[in-house]
Amino acid sequence: MQITNGSAGTAVELRHRVLHADPDANAELIERLRADGVRAIALTVVDNGGVTRVKVVPVQRLASALRGGIGFSVVWAVAGADDSFALSAPFDTPAGDLRLFPDFDALSRITGGPRLVWVPADQYTQELDVSPCCQRSMLRGAVERGRELGIEFKAAFEVEMSLLGEDGDPGHHGPGYSASALLEVEPFALDLMDALAGHGIEVEQLHPEYAPGQVEFSCAPRDPVGAADQLALSRIVARKVARAHGLAVSFAPSVHPGALGNGCHLHLSAWRDGVNLMQGGDDAVGGLSGDGAAMVAGMLHALPEVLAVLAPSVLSYARLQPQKWAGAYACWGVENREAALRLVPGTVSSRASSANVEIKTLDGSANPYLALGVLLSAALDGLDRRAELPRPVQRDPHTLSKAERAKAGIARLPSDLGKATDLLARSEMAVKALGPELHHAFVTVRRREWETYGRRDHAELIPEFRLRY
Ligand code: GLU
Ligand code: MG
């Protein structure tokens, strides 16, 4: 079976496809799946708590799933990572139903043989309108807005994770980036690379990271919806490969008290007529083009108010500390690993294709669709109002005095989820980007998480949350 990943389709096209599905095309697809020995289809949604939820449909029920979708309660919009529901109107009733529709353009196999196929799902109402709370459609909408302005985005995630052996022992003992740490995880690492390749996920590199048991792989750039789909799928694949090696895997931002955390850095570039806008411009701004600079300025400006989307859990703030290369200060710099936005111009030989901006602040508890969606919206907003980019910061912002930071316009990002949520709740930009319903549901989940866990000690919370993401 031909495996493709990612969808460039618009919500309107998808709706059209659902309403006007060609029964023969579906029959052909189902027949191909059967012929390949597929037993069932796993439909996945990443919820507002950052958890990947799943519903599995036997292949013989697929025709009906393609016609009418699969039931999904509206309260999932307010589900938290701890499986609680932050019940708040209109998400406070057991009545009502959404329909999950598999996006077959993004179809891929799940690891471990051909019997289970993984498909990201979109959320629709029973009237077959896209649900305002569909996170994947929110991202698709931001991509579409870019396209209307002649902008195509490319996105690539760096996935950091912590391997845990029996009793939660780290899967390797360092040193970071060392050959000896790699040897401790080599059988897992090689199987993981094979399994990811088998799913059409192109790994650019892998290494043992600094924290105990930490491993990172980075994915090749692709369209934003495809990149978010692949991130969700790669976590499932990593978890499954780890299980086969007697290991557990955590993508949580903080896994061992006091140790460095897991980031989920995002590399973003914007293109017009095949030209990369993150290069080709003035040296004073690291070579960013005028449009590229306006987009980076838009993201920089929005960072504090959308932080709760990029770093949405209480434990995100155990990770998001200065001098950890996690992006705790709202500033940008050329190759500055302490800046929230790091311009990566790349070598002169590959600059035109590879220059990008790395957003460091993101972590593995974020919903990748929403994180990308708000960042693209902020970038387009910056482009729209020709936002002005401040000078690059080439030092560690934490070593500057308060007065120096104030003069350079560098702000420390909110230091806990409560403060970040307050900013998100008041953000007009976020309401516009997410839509009022999704914004309300998302803020409600954050508030509940903060009220329930915000006063607890991070070390005490880690064991409760580390296997949730
Ligand atoms: N682990 C760091 C983080 O939490 C990132 C280290 C790196 O730059 O790869 O973001
Ligand atoms: Mg790393």
Side-chain angles (χ1 to χ4, degrees):
M1 175 173 47
Q2 186 64 37
I3 295 175
T4 55
N5 267 304
S7 164
T10 67
V12 176
E13 283 164 7
L14 287 168
R15 182 168 191 269
H16 181 87
R17 189 186 304 182
V18 169
L19 279 171
H20 306 284
D22 171 358
D24 291 341
N26 286 346
E28 199 187 305
L29 171 72
I30 293 165
E31 201 33 59
R32 262 195 302 137
L33 291 169
R34 275 184 196 278
D36 273 8
V38 171
R39 174 81 185 78
I41 323 292
L43 281 69
T44 59
V45 167
V46 186
D47 70 15
N48 286 337
V51 175
T52 302
R53 310 279 177 182
V54 64
K55 283 214 156 181
V56 177
V57 186
V59 74
Q60 62 270 21
R61 294 287 305 158
L62 190 54
S64 130
L66 286 167
R67 213 170 30 246
I70 300 290
F72 196 62
S73 165
V74 291
V75 294
W76 284 111
V78 286
D82 63 355
D83 275 356
S84 67
F85 293 105
L87 299 177
S88 162
F91 311 106
D92 57 349
T93 162
D97 194 35
L98 293 176
R99 311 302 297 173
L100 298 183
F101 281 89
D103 180 357
F104 273 98
D105 288 342
L107 185 145
S108 178
R109 284 172 198 278
I110 204 160
T111 186
R115 293 197 304 156
L116 188 63
V117 162
W118 171 90
V119 189
D122 292 301
Q123 299 165 53
Y124 285 78
T125 67
Q126 288 176 323
E127 302 312 305
L128 297 185
D129 294 317
V130 175
S131 161
C133 286
C134 177
Q135 295 89 352
R136 195 167 178 268
S137 299
M138 180 265 158
L139 172 56
R140 200 185 280 108
V143 170
E144 261 315 294
R145 279 197 299 284
R147 219 164 261 157
E148 281 159 18
L149 299 169
I151 303 287
E152 293 282 341
F153 290 99
K154 282 190 195 171
F157 286 102
E158 282 177 22
V159 186
E160 288 186 338
M161 61 190 161
S162 299
L163 290 174
L164 300 162
E166 269 176 41
D167 306 327
D169 292 346
H172 71 68
H173 300 84
Y177 285 78
S178 71
S180 51
L182 177 64
L183 290 177
E184 285 190 74
V185 297
E186 183 196 339
F188 162 79
L190 293 178
D191 282 355
L192 175 64
M193 287 201 283
D194 278 352
L196 292 170
H199 286 79
I201 299 174
E202 195 185 330
V203 171
E204 289 195 328
Q205 56 144 326
L206 176 148
H207 62 266
E209 257 287 355
Y210 264 95
Q214 197 177 32
V215 173
E216 170 180 330
F217 63 87
S218 36
C219 301
R222 48 169 311 137
D223 70 282
V225 178
D229 285 343
Q230 285 202 340
L231 178 67
L233 176 60
S234 70
R235 290 178 185 158
I236 299 171
V237 172
R239 195 153 261 148
K240 182 150 183 174
V241 175
R243 284 174 70 92
H245 287 269
L247 297 163
V249 65
S250 171
F251 302 94
S254 185
V255 179
H256 300 288
L260 290 172
N262 288 319
C264 186
H265 303 181
L266 168 67
H267 292 260
L268 200 62
S269 56
W271 300 66
R272 179 182 272 125
D273 300 329
V275 176
N276 183 355
L277 301 173
M278 297 304 170
Q279 54 86 54
D282 198 336
D283 279 349
V285 282
L288 282 166
S289 71
D291 285 349
M295 284 191 264
V296 175
M299 289 192 280
L300 184 59
H301 179 79
L303 266 187
E305 49 194 291
V306 301
L307 181 67
V309 181
L310 312 183
S313 59
V314 170
L315 288 173
S316 293
Y317 299 82
R319 164 193 172 251
L320 191 57
Q321 297 290 330
Q323 303 194 312
K324 311 270 188 227
W325 291 8
Y329 282 95
C331 61
W332 80 283
V334 183
E335 290 292 9
N336 185 347
R337 287 179 166 80
E338 269 303 315
L341 303 182
R342 166 191 171 210
L343 177 65
V344 185
T347 45
V348 65
S349 50
S350 63
R351 192 156 295 157
S353 62
S354 70
N356 67 81
V357 174
E358 180 185 31
I359 297 97
K360 285 193 167 281
T361 313
L362 242 95
D363 70 56
S365 60
N367 179 311
Y369 300 100
L370 296 183
L372 252 168
V374 294
L375 287 167
L376 297 195
S377 301
L380 293 171
D381 188 44
L383 183 66
D384 186 47
R385 58 191 175 78
R386 306 303 313 164
E388 201 177 322
L389 189 63
R391 290 178 60 76
V393 173
Q394 295 305 107
R395 298 219 0 233
D396 173 356
H398 198 61
T399 62
L400 301 177
S401 68
K402 273 196 175 154
E404 285 172 317
R405 280 200 294 268
K407 193 165 165 231
I410 303 169
R412 171 78 166 89
L413 285 167
S415 57
D416 66 46
L417 180 61
K419 295 185 189 108
T421 302
D422 286 345
L423 291 185
L424 182 70
R426 289 199 297 268
S427 167
E428 280 174 29
M429 181 266 153
V431 174
K432 212 170 117 203
L434 295 166
E437 295 92 341
L438 186 50
H439 177 264
H440 170 62
F442 191 84
V443 167
T444 303
V445 174
R446 303 281 80 69
R447 285 213 193 289
R448 185 187 158 92
E449 181 163 339
W450 176 246
E451 278 157 20
T452 314
Y453 302 103
R455 270 162 214 87
R456 298 259 308 270
D457 187 45
H458 285 165
E460 197 186 291
L461 283 183
I462 284 173
E464 287 177 43
F465 280 91
R466 69 180 170 192
L467 294 179
R468 294 260 147 194
Y469 310 105

